Every structure is written in C-alpha cells, then in structure tokens.
Amino acid sequence: MFSLLYDLAPSWTSAAILSTFFIYLAIAGSILPGKVVPGVILSDGTRLHYRCNGLLSLLLLVGLLGVGVWMNYLSPTAISERGLELLSATFIFSFLTGCKSRNQGSSLKPHFTGNFIYDWWFGIQLNPQFLGIDMKYFFVRAGMLGWLLINLSILAKSIQDANLSQSMILYQLFCVLYILDYFFYEEYMTSTWDIIAERLGFMLVFGDLVWIPFTFSIQGWWLLRNKEDLPTAAIIANCFVFLVGYLVFRGANKQKHVFKKNSKALIWGEPPKIVGGKLLASGYWGIARHCNYLGDLLLALSFSLACGIR
C-alpha cells in the first residue's frame, strides 16, 4: 500500500515531462502548417477555426524523440518507468484546470449555475482559449498523442526487458493504426458533440488527459508484465474483429461529418433520409442510432483480445 502511494507521488521529473509535452503541442499546433477548418457557428454569430496539423505534430514529435534517444539524450523508457506518477501529475493538472477554466477567454458569456461543484465538473465556458489556443481541441489532441507516447515507451520497455511478445506487437499495431486514423481525419473532430456543445470543465479535461491515454493503454501495461503468445487462429480472428470495428467506426463517423457539412450529400450513393430536419436516417445511421459506438467497442475489444482469454 505504502509502495503504491510512493509510486503515485508526482515528482519534478514527471511535472517536467508533462510541461514539456504541453509546450511542444502548443508551439507545434500554432506554427506547423495544416488545413484550417471552420467550426460551427456559435450562438453569438462567431465561428472558430481549427488548424488540423495534428498528424504533422505527431510525426515531428516522434522524429524528435527518436533522434533524442539515438543520441542518448533521452531514455525511451522514461514514461513507462514513471507511469503512476505521470498519472497522478496529469490528474492534478486536470483538477486545477477544471477550476481555472472559468477564467479563460471565450467569445460566449460564461454559463454559471451557482453550484460550484456542478460548474467545476461540467464547466462554464463553451470554447475557452489560452494565448489564442482553443483548449478543448488542444486537450483531446494531447490525450491521443499522450496515449501513443505511453504505448511507445511500454514497447521500448518490453524490448529492453526481452519480453516482447506477439500479443504486444498486435496491440501496438492496432493502437498505432487507430491513433494515426484519428489524426488523419482530425477534421472530423470539429463536428463532434465535445467540440460543439460540451463546456470545458473537469469532466472533459479528465476524459481527454487522463482517461484516454492512461485507460486505453491498460492492455499494454498488462502485456509488459504478462507475456502472452496467441495461436495463429486467434491472431487472425482478432485482426478480423479490428477490421470490422474500424470499418463501422470510421464509416459511421464519416457519414455523420459529411452530413453535418452538407445535408444533401449522397449516403451510400443515395440521397439521405432526414428525420425532423436534422436527424440522419441513412447509411449506418439508418441501421442503428450509434453504429459508431459499436465500431469503437469492437476496436476496444480487439485491443483486449490481444491479451488472450485465459
């Protein structure tokens, strides 16, 4: 118990890693080229614009870290050796950001309820900005990139410990494809509920910075300590689960995004069916209301099946 509490205690090193990561993302997101995508029109008539350069930021970051490791300036296992303290440091940052977000600039009037806990949890600002950076867009990008960095450090630790397994390779491959897909289609994030309607409070910050990178990497942490070699049939079956999940997940989300941008765009070669003037009822969305969640669940299942079923 005391050992766990000791490992959870954030250090200056973990704070430095987290701060450097955020500073890099802020600079890269501001200066690297990328497609500028208009967001939805807000209630006051203004519209935010988002620079979709996440994929370039990812590739540059991985390249810089690779050079740092090659020149022995950085340890590839720095994150995997400080997993718990980075978790607690990120949680503390999320907690404080939930309190601080009420003071950040926004084009809209803050939504106060008078209940401090409620306002802290759900937030009061729809599109808070800091130094011209949209915080909601920034945090979800940080969460996805953080997940990748955790996984890469786990992979490096597995190789260092001579514990690399087929399951670890399979899990890492699935996650890399998922994360690269997210940044390739980063534009689609601008039409999601999180960006359009959710206010920035502790719930959203925690979800982006803690839940995504540290929960989605649980399988990697487990495989680091448990070597699991799957039979060929299980590997093929798991790849099939991943493929089906990806096709449903990406297909449904693409249809939703295209429909929001152009309600007359063809869905599976036919004019879309619309219910109530806004609700898409064609394609995947004519089969079920949230096929995208089904696809996401199948993808998550494939991550876990890589750990075996024993």
Side-chain angles (χ1 to χ4, degrees), residues 10-24 82 85-86 89:
S11 66
W12 288 112
T13 301
S14 61
I17 292 174
L18 196 61
S19 299
T20 303
F21 176 58
F22 287 149
I23 291 171
Y24 167 81
R82 297 176 176 84
E85 63 182 73
L86 280 169

Side-chain angles (χ1 to χ4, degrees), residues 17 75-86 149-161 168 172 214 220-221 224-225:
I17 292 174
S75 169
T77 59
I79 295 175
S80 59
E81 291 172 350
R82 297 176 176 84
L84 289 177
E85 63 182 73
L86 280 169
L149 295 184
I150 290 173
N151 275 1
L152 291 179
S153 188
I154 290 173
L155 177 62
K157 181 66 173 175
S158 178
I159 295 173
Q160 184 184 84
D161 295 346
M168 177 67 83
Q172 293 283 347
F214 290 98
W221 291 110
L224 186 59
R225 293 164 177 78

Side-chain angles (χ1 to χ4, degrees), residues 272-287:
K273 297 178 182 178
I274 305 174
V275 178
K278 292 184 178 181
L279 193 65
L280 176 63
S282 291
Y284 286 105
W285 301 89
I287 299 174

Side-chain angles (χ1 to χ4, degrees), residues 45-163:
T46 62
R47 169 179 270 176
L48 297 178
H49 290 77
Y50 303 92
R51 187 183 300 275
C52 298
N53 56 9
L55 183 59
L56 186 56
S57 298
L58 179 156
L59 296 175
L60 178 60
L61 178 58
V62 172
L64 290 172
L65 292 175
V67 171
V69 170
W70 178 65
M71 299 181 69
N72 293 321
Y73 290 146
L74 300 172
S75 169
T77 59
I79 295 175
S80 59
E81 291 172 350
R82 297 176 176 84
L84 289 177
E85 63 182 73
L86 280 169
L87 170 62
S88 60
T90 308
F91 178 85
I92 292 171
F93 176 84
S94 302
F95 179 88
L96 296 176
T97 301
C99 299
K100 185 66 176 176
S101 63
R102 61 178 52 216
N103 298 323
Q104 304 305 321
S106 174
S107 65
L108 300 178
K109 182 179 179 180
H111 177 79
F112 287 101
T113 66
N115 185 317
F116 177 82
I117 300 298
Y118 185 94
D119 290 342
W120 166 76
W121 182 268
F122 290 105
I124 62 171
Q125 297 276 15
L126 181 62
N127 58 333
Q129 297 185 358
F130 179 71
L131 299 177
I133 299 172
D134 183 86
M135 300 308 295
K136 289 198 295 186
Y137 199 65
F138 176 84
F139 285 143
V140 69
R141 177 181 288 183
M144 295 298 291
L145 263 174
W147 177 21
L148 176 65
L149 295 184
I150 290 173
N151 275 1
L152 291 179
S153 188
I154 290 173
L155 177 62
K157 181 66 173 175
S158 178
I159 295 173
Q160 184 184 84
D161 295 346
N163 193 38

Side-chain angles (χ1 to χ4, degrees), residues 291-310:
C291 277
N292 56 332
Y293 293 159
L294 171 63
D296 219 2
L297 286 171
L298 288 174
L299 288 169
L301 177 62
S302 70
F303 300 162
S304 297
L305 287 177
C307 300
I309 57 175
R310 60 185 176 86

Side-chain angles (χ1 to χ4, degrees), residues 1-10 84-85 88:
M1 179 65 179
F2 290 106
S3 175
L4 176 61
L5 292 176
Y6 178 81
D7 290 338
L8 275 169
L84 289 177
E85 63 182 73
S88 60

